[in-house]
């Protein structure tokens, strides 16, 4: 069977070149006679893998000195607790609620202190990013938290919030490494890698070094302290070795493609193909306010649930997989991460045009 076009929100499409390389090395990594999956994380060979991965992501994101890169486990959801446990010194933090994941992070932080919801777009089913130019930032807030790209709802911050001097913490899971980022504007960035970077099981955190201290909330488990992982070079316990290895291959692929400026141009070009069609279609329409649109996740509907279901079924039969929208939005969603080729989006739009034509009769 030939490969399908996989529009899944995560775990998501990976570059074919990376998958082929990994397949070739599955039984014998660089002549060592074993798979990376079997390799000791204490070996010199694995140390080289993780060191090279860190060097490449630093280069891709132009990470300044004074920031640590950590390869962690537990997915982005564990960070919902880890962030307040490590950073909520005054037990106060401000959260901007732009979707389900930001809301979950805010609720989790509320366990550890006063988590203020300083802005929200829930009034219109998270279909836009609220104005964050003059928020009621708490004077005692330790940080301001955002989910920068909202996978479920297809929104993206195109201007970072005015935090009024407070630390900015961002969950970038579904836009991670899709475009250049000025890391110096953040105290911390983290992302689950299963959308744009690798297989599920790894979360990458980029944290300003002065924020990594022993001064954490009382009762914080050892495994949830950034300093423990930082001091051990992400090898305090057995890390998700194979996942890190694949991430490293994706970093190499991104560099080979020309880096994040090139990826941003490619992603803009791909998204434009689909958005342009949605804006002129008489059957399909996007659900997101135009100035808040994501390049990575594009939800759309027909307005008829039965027609939506028929479209998803027909698309699957045509080799266009995982287009069903999240249950809270309904309809369809095309996730078009870095590894989705332009041809995949063109094929989707061609299919949508044919579907629309058929159902107009």
């Amino acid at each position: 069977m030939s490969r399908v076009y996989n529009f899944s929100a995560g775990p998501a499409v990976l570059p074919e070149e990376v998958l082929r390389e990994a397949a070739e090395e599955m039984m014998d990594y660089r002549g060592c006679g074993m798979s990376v999956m079997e390799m000791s994380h204490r070996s010199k060979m694995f140390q080289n893998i993780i060191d090279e991965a860190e060097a490449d992501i630093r280069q891709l994101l132009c990470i300044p000195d004074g920031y640590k890169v950590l390869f962690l486990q537990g997915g982005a959801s564990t960070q919902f607790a880890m962030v307040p446990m490590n950073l909520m010194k005054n037990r106060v933090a401000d959260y901007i609620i732009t979707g389900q994941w930001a809301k979950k992070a805010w609720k989790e932080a509320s366990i550890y202190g006063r988590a203020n919801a300083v802005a929200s777009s829930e009034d219109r089913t998270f279909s836009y990013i609220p104005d964050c130019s003059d928020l009621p930032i708490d004077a005692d807030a330790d940080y301001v938290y955002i989910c920068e790209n909202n996978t479920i709802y297809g929104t993206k911050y195109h201007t970072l919030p005015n935090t009024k001097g407070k630390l900015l913490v961002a969950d970038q899971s579904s836009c991670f490494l899709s475009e250049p980022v000025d890391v110096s504007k953040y105290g911390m960035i983290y992302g689950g890698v299963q959308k744009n970077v690798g297989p599920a099981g790894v979360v990458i955190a980029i944290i300003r070094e002065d924020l990594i201290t022993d001064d954490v909330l009382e009762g914080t488990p050892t495994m949830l302290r950034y300093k423990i992982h930082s001091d051990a070079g992400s090898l305090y316990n057995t890390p998700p070795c194979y996942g890190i290895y694949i991430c490293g291959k994706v970093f190499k692929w991104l560099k080979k493609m020309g880096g994040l400026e090139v990826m941003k141009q490619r992603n803009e070009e791909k998204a434009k193909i689909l958005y342009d069609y949605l804006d002129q279609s008489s059957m399909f329409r996007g659900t997101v306010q135009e100035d808040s649109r994501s390049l990575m996740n594009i939800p759309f509907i027909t307005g008829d649930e039965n027609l939506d279901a028929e479209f998803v079924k027909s698309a699957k039969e045509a080799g266009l997989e995982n287009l069903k929208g999240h249950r809270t939005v309904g309809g369809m969603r095309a996730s078009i991460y870095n590894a989705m080729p332009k041809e995949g989006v063109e094929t989707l739009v061609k299919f949508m045009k044919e579907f629309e034509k058929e159902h107009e009769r």
Side-chain angles (χ1 to χ4, degrees):
M1 181 184 176
S2 61
R3 278 176 64 79
V4 298
Y5 287 119
N6 178 13
F7 294 94
S8 171
V13 60
L14 285 167
E16 285 191 23
E17 189 178 314
V18 166
L19 295 175
R20 284 195 199 97
E21 270 183 32
E24 284 169 15
E25 294 175 347
M26 177 57 81
M27 298 295 286
D28 179 8
Y29 176 73
R30 297 188 181 177
C32 76
M34 69 179 92
S35 170
V36 174
M37 214 178 272
E38 306 167 295
M39 190 181 286
S40 167
H41 63 296
R42 303 293 179 200
S43 67
K44 187 173 189 301
M45 195 158 270
F46 185 74
Q47 188 67 56
N48 290 340
I49 288 171
I50 196 169
D51 287 347
E52 209 166 298
E54 179 175 343
D56 285 340
I57 192 174
R58 283 187 175 278
Q59 188 179 341
L60 282 164
L61 279 169
C62 302
I63 298 174
D65 292 342
Y67 281 79
K68 284 275 190 183
V69 176
L70 303 179
F71 295 92
L72 304 170
Q73 298 177 73
S77 295
T78 299
Q79 296 304 307
F80 299 168
M82 215 164 163
V83 167
M85 282 177 163
N86 286 266
L87 303 183
M88 205 191 249
K89 317 292 187 191
N90 296 325
R91 303 239 178 189
V92 183
D94 290 346
Y95 281 68
I96 302 170
I97 315 298
T98 51
Q100 182 169 307
W101 303 116
K103 192 172 183 179
K104 284 187 173 183
W106 165 64
K107 284 185 174 175
E108 191 75 13
S110 300
I111 296 169
Y112 304 103
R114 190 168 82 244
N116 306 308
V118 293
S120 172
S121 54
E122 193 166 11
D123 61 328
R124 298 211 304 270
T125 324
F126 301 119
S127 59
Y128 69 102
I129 298 293
D131 179 2
C132 298
S133 59
D134 187 19
L135 299 169
I137 302 295
D138 195 304
D140 294 325
D142 291 296
Y143 58 85
V144 177
Y145 181 102
I146 62 171
C147 180
E148 198 159 328
N149 187 92
N150 296 282
T151 323
I152 292 172
Y153 302 96
T155 60
K156 167 79 162 65
Y157 285 80
H158 297 295
T159 304
L160 292 177
N162 175 6
T163 64
K164 300 182 179 175
K166 298 294 183 183
L167 204 67
L168 179 63
V169 174
D171 173 357
Q172 286 190 355
S173 293
S174 54
C175 60
F176 198 49
L177 298 180
S178 65
E179 59 182 28
V181 169
D182 183 351
V183 174
S184 67
K185 290 183 175 177
Y186 303 79
M188 176 180 174
I189 293 167
Y190 73 84
V193 306
Q194 71 277 10
K195 298 171 186 297
N196 236 346
V197 188
V202 184
V203 59
I204 297 173
I206 300 163
I207 315 174
R208 219 171 63 202
E209 285 180 8
D210 63 299
L211 302 174
I212 301 172
T213 69
D214 285 319
D215 179 19
V216 297
L217 297 190
E218 190 179 342
T220 299
T222 301
M223 274 294 289
L224 297 187
R225 296 170 182 241
Y226 293 129
K227 193 167 191 305
I228 292 291
H229 296 285
S230 176
D231 288 351
S234 299
L235 297 171
Y236 172 73
N237 68 323
T238 309
C241 299
Y242 198 79
I244 293 167
Y245 155 77
I246 297 290
C247 290
K249 287 204 172 297
V250 172
F251 301 156
K252 295 274 186 220
W253 177 78
L254 286 167
K255 287 170 67 176
K256 184 179 170 186
M257 295 297 287
L260 300 189
E261 281 287 358
V262 171
M263 292 316 297
K264 184 185 183 188
Q265 289 164 13
R266 281 166 49 100
N267 290 328
E268 285 172 341
E269 190 182 341
K270 287 187 299 186
K272 187 176 189 302
I273 293 166
L274 183 48
Y275 281 127
D276 282 355
Y277 171 65
L278 290 171
D279 288 344
Q280 61 82 47
S281 171
S282 57
M283 174 179 282
F284 299 99
R285 66 175 179 85
T287 59
V288 173
Q289 190 172 293
E290 194 169 340
D291 62 1
S292 300
R293 285 172 167 176
S294 165
L295 297 180
M296 298 284 99
N297 313 99
I298 305 180
F300 56 96
I301 57 173
T302 65
D304 179 332
E305 286 183 15
N306 293 328
L307 200 55
D308 288 349
E310 187 185 337
F311 175 82
V312 171
K313 182 174 180 289
S314 300
K316 183 180 174 68
E317 288 165 1
L320 303 166
E321 285 277 357
N322 294 310
L323 281 164
K324 186 177 180 182
H326 192 272
R327 61 187 177 277
T328 60
V329 180
M332 287 70 67
R333 171 182 52 181
S335 293
I336 52 174
Y337 299 121
N338 285 343
M340 172 59 68
K342 182 181 169 185
E343 297 75 38
V345 184
E346 289 171 337
T347 304
L348 170 61
V349 168
K350 183 171 180 270
F351 179 81
M352 291 169 77
K353 285 177 179 174
E354 288 166 0
F355 187 89
E356 183 170 344
K357 201 172 177 183
E358 275 177 30
H359 288 77
E360 274 177 349
R361 291 172 191 159

